[in-house]
Amino acid sequence: MASCFGLEAVPAKVEALRSKAKRLVARGWLAEPAPGRFTLAKGVAGPGGGS
């Protein structure tokens, strides 16, 4: 995920992104179907799907 965002894949950057993704799971924006695998939660519009 870090490399997709243009960040170095170093532990500090990876952990920061994981922490942010976990917060988005808690808020209902992302789903975590398997440990470390994040996807958009159901009902959340993807790219170009907003109003």
Side-chain angles (χ1 to χ4, degrees):
M1 195 162 81
S3 60
C4 290
F5 286 108
L7 301 173
E8 296 178 60
V10 296
K13 301 290 184 181
V14 171
E15 182 59 26
L17 282 174
R18 188 195 69 77
S19 176
K20 289 175 185 177
K22 290 282 189 179
R23 275 186 261 142
L24 290 173
V25 168
R27 293 177 183 165
W29 286 74
L30 293 181
E32 189 179 14
R37 299 283 186 176
F38 299 97
T39 62
L40 282 176
K42 290 183 181 179
V44 176
S51 56

